Amino acid sequence: MPDRFALAAAAAALCAVGAGCAAPRAVYTGPELRAEIARRAPALPPEDVVVPFDVGEGARARAREIAGDLSTSQQKIRALVSAMFDPAGFGLRYASRVTGDAAETLRLREGNCLALASVFVGLARAVGLEARYIDASTRVHETVHGADGITVTSGHVTAMVDTGNGKVGLDFARMGPVVWYRVLDDVEALAHFYNNRGFERIDAARAAGAPVDWAAAEADFRRAVRVAPGFARAWNNLGIAAQGVGLDAEAERDFREAMRHDRLLAAPRNNLGGLLMRRGDVGAALEVLEAAARLPSAGPHVLYNLALARLRSGDRDGAVAALRRASGAGYPRAARLLDQLASAL
């Protein structure tokens, strides 16, 4: 997003959100969060625990100067959002591939949706607002890496304030209302932080044509599932990290664990299908990929992999049908393979 749109996008996306479901315990102080992580994930070293919303006392004091005396929640929200992006204030900008905790984001002056949400949550809580993280991911929020068609997933986390008269969602990444959300507690937000960090390690290496530090990515994803054992996207990504170092059996277990926790997520089914194909188990791969392609979150890369499985099974007509759908959705590899099949006739 261009810098000049950052403030406008956040302001435009201040909107009422639906009632959602009843919120669980969502808010912790820094010490409470560290204690809760120690209880839930005793194997996680204390030095690995991050308090993502800790902006520091200096920023909390500035938040109180900016919004502490304002009378309504809406006024406080708008004043804080304005200050976040104002060069004379905190001077932040949106950067899609930069996940930092709040203190790091303030220092770098840039961050993605989760990083900016963490800054806002920390500032908002400093002036008495009931600010919470929300998962506003759509079911197609996936990224495909490399020619292997493996899908690495990261969600879309932003912030919400319960004003007492309604819930106000802030979306720093795109214009328009928050149309679907789930309240995250601060523990889940921390799991998203770890998952995003691992995701970015893979993404940055692939973009630069450099080797992926799979051990470092695996450590991030492992932290995520220790903190939130039901976090399907992190289990999927953990499987990719295992596969990256040749641990296919472990990768299969991780993909199946992701499938168990989220029956609507296509990514682990797509990745498992590819693994089974490489193993030579075409029948099992076809079954998994057929199921993946029926899911709302299935992108054209899933249809492409399904076409490969159908070709391997001898179903050329079915493969062509899947390739046409993938090509129609703008997947160039599908169009190229269609041309190859046509020229082979």
Side-chain angles (χ1 to χ4, degrees), residues 11-37:
L14 279 170
C15 57
V17 297
C21 54
R25 165 75 187 272
V27 176
Y28 296 81
T29 65
E32 287 172 342
L33 180 60
R34 290 184 182 279
E36 183 66 10
I37 296 302

Side-chain angles (χ1 to χ4, degrees), residues 327-343:
S327 179
Y331 199 60
R333 296 179 69 197
R336 290 195 295 270
L337 183 53
L338 272 174
D339 289 342
Q340 292 170 14
L341 291 175
S343 64

Side-chain angles (χ1 to χ4, degrees), residues 30 33-35 37-38 41 44-51 190 194 223 227:
L33 180 60
R34 290 184 182 279
I37 296 302
L44 189 64
E47 61 270 20
D48 287 351
V49 178
V50 175
V51 179
L190 176 58
Y194 292 135
R223 292 180 187 111
V227 167

Side-chain angles (χ1 to χ4, degrees), residues 116-136:
L116 296 176
S118 292
V119 172
F120 176 79
V121 166
L123 298 176
R125 291 179 185 176
V127 297
L129 292 172
E130 292 189 29
R132 300 174 178 180
Y133 292 96
I134 56 174
D135 181 357

